Amino acid sequence: FQSTSKQTGMLFESLVEKHLKDSMKQIVHRNFKFSSIGIDVDFVATDGLVTEYIEAKGGLSGHKKRPGAQRTDSVKKAIANGALLKAVNPDAYFVVYFSAKPTPGSSSDMMIQNAINAGYVDDVRYIN
């Protein structure tokens, strides 16, 4: 079952890449590893003024599947990466792309709002 998740994750990353290019962003790195803090991000992109560190969390819905921000474990991982990045680089602009919005009032929804309020995540974008 993991191979299906891996494939849908890669497909979602392709959608994020297209969105970045359509938004006139230059992709500087893919799957960039911050060895000193033990995390990686899916993309590093810039518009020439702002460099964004981007995590892509997507998936398919269906039988017992919860895509994007509906999966609390995906939301937690994205937030943890943002918090760790900001711990060593507070000025980093951290963005998370999700393939689906969280259910209003859910744990995922509250985690995302608290992460934005705390400054761990600068922007959340939804594409499908």
Side-chain angles (χ1 to χ4, degrees):
F1 99 101
Q2 284 292 69
S3 68
T4 302
S5 295
K6 176 88 170 151
Q7 289 172 347
T8 58
M10 290 173 63
L11 177 61
F12 184 66
E13 284 185 22
S14 296
L15 291 174
V16 171
E17 182 175 5
K18 181 180 181 333
H19 184 266
L20 291 168
K21 289 177 179 178
D22 289 349
S23 300
M24 306 302 288
K25 302 245 188 334
Q26 176 187 359
I27 296 171
V28 180
H29 297 286
R30 280 191 67 124
N31 301 315
F32 186 78
K33 184 163 183 70
F34 291 89
S35 299
S36 63
I37 51 178
I39 66 164
D40 58 14
V41 294
D42 295 312
F43 298 97
V44 178
T46 186
D47 63 4
L49 298 174
V50 176
T51 299
E52 297 180 352
Y53 300 89
I54 299 162
E55 188 73 18
K57 295 294 182 193
L60 297 176
S61 60
H63 182 68
K64 296 186 180 182
K65 297 266 187 190
R66 292 168 291 130
Q70 295 174 7
R71 288 186 57 96
T72 56
D73 56 332
S74 294
V75 172
K76 287 176 188 177
K77 182 181 179 208
I79 291 169
N81 282 353
L84 290 165
L85 176 61
K86 296 277 193 159
V88 297
N89 185 356
D91 295 328
Y93 195 83
F94 187 73
V95 177
V96 184
Y97 278 82
F98 289 113
S99 62
K101 292 183 177 185
T103 302
S106 67
S107 295
S108 292
D109 188 32
M110 289 184 282
M111 284 188 280
I112 292 167
Q113 291 308 312
N114 282 308
I116 292 169
N117 292 340
Y120 301 147
V121 175
D122 294 293
D123 195 9
V124 177
R125 300 174 187 153
Y126 299 96
I127 59 172
N128 51 5

